[in-house]
Amino acid sequence: MDFSKYKNDIYILIIFVFVGSQIYSQKKDTLVFKYDEQYFKTGDYYDQEKKTGEYYINEKSKYKSDAFIFLAKDRYIKFKPKEILNLKEHIRSTKFYDKKYKTINPGLFTKYFENYIVFFAKKKDTNTTIFIKVYPVPIIYN
């Protein structure tokens, strides 16, 4: 079978596969937020006494019955972030936060944080900070 007539098509396919894999394998930026017990709660959304690795933020949803949760994935000690941000200030300065109604759009919340690697920086003692890697999980109730 003679594939020479498909030579250009094969080259174009290889280029698309290579470029596509580069787009999807791009590194994500990292956001590190100070662990803020006043702004978010830990435990199960319904039962804070349960230790589930959930961190839910204390904000209202655009749809009133949603919860905004970060689930813990890993913990690190040897990590040197460039900057540690304030989660509340950061969320309230984004496009998914409606300043007029003081609510969060759940779909935009998830899309936004999926573009980043997110950590919470929690002081263990004066010399040690634990960095908790988390990912966003919007809970949408009907």
Side-chain angles (χ1 to χ4, degrees), residues 87-140:
L87 181 62
K88 183 177 184 176
E89 290 174 4
H90 188 78
I91 284 178
R92 292 186 177 183
S93 69
T94 60
K95 292 180 182 177
F96 60 81
Y97 185 78
D98 186 327
K99 291 173 181 59
K100 181 178 178 183
Y101 297 106
K102 297 181 180 178
T103 59
I104 292 176
N105 181 307
L108 296 177
F109 169 85
T110 305
K111 281 184 182 180
Y112 177 83
F113 281 108
E114 283 177 347
N115 292 318
Y116 296 95
I117 298 169
V118 181
F119 289 91
F120 292 152
K122 183 178 183 179
K123 284 271 189 197
K124 184 176 180 181
D125 55 44
T126 54
N127 297 326
T128 309
T129 301
I130 298 172
F131 295 92
I132 306 163
K133 187 175 184 180
V134 296
Y135 59 95
V137 179
I139 307 296
I140 300 171

Side-chain angles (χ1 to χ4, degrees), residues 26-39:
Q26 287 179 351
K27 290 185 178 180
K28 295 181 177 183
D29 286 336
T30 302
L31 294 174
V32 180
F33 297 105
K34 180 182 175 202
Y35 189 88
D36 184 352
E37 292 177 5
Q38 301 300 315
Y39 186 58

Side-chain angles (χ1 to χ4, degrees), residues 37-118:
E37 292 177 5
Q38 301 300 315
Y39 186 58
F40 58 82
K41 306 294 181 205
T42 60
D44 184 78
Y45 182 68
Y46 294 105
D47 182 2
Q48 289 79 41
E49 298 304 314
K50 285 185 181 178
K51 300 298 178 197
T52 60
E54 292 179 6
Y55 301 89
Y56 58 95
I57 60 174
N58 203 8
E59 288 285 356
K60 293 178 184 167
S61 168
K62 181 178 178 181
Y63 304 108
K64 294 184 177 139
S65 59
D66 303 334
F68 302 98
I69 296 174
F70 290 93
L71 292 178
K73 193 172 186 179
D74 298 310
R75 298 175 191 278
Y76 302 89
I77 293 177
K78 295 182 180 185
F79 182 67
K80 302 283 186 215
K82 293 178 185 173
E83 182 179 13
I84 297 179
L85 305 168
N86 180 303
L87 181 62
K88 183 177 184 176
E89 290 174 4
H90 188 78
I91 284 178
R92 292 186 177 183
S93 69
T94 60
K95 292 180 182 177
F96 60 81
Y97 185 78
D98 186 327
K99 291 173 181 59
K100 181 178 178 183
Y101 297 106
K102 297 181 180 178
T103 59
I104 292 176
N105 181 307
L108 296 177
F109 169 85
T110 305
K111 281 184 182 180
Y112 177 83
F113 281 108
E114 283 177 347
N115 292 318
Y116 296 95
I117 298 169
V118 181

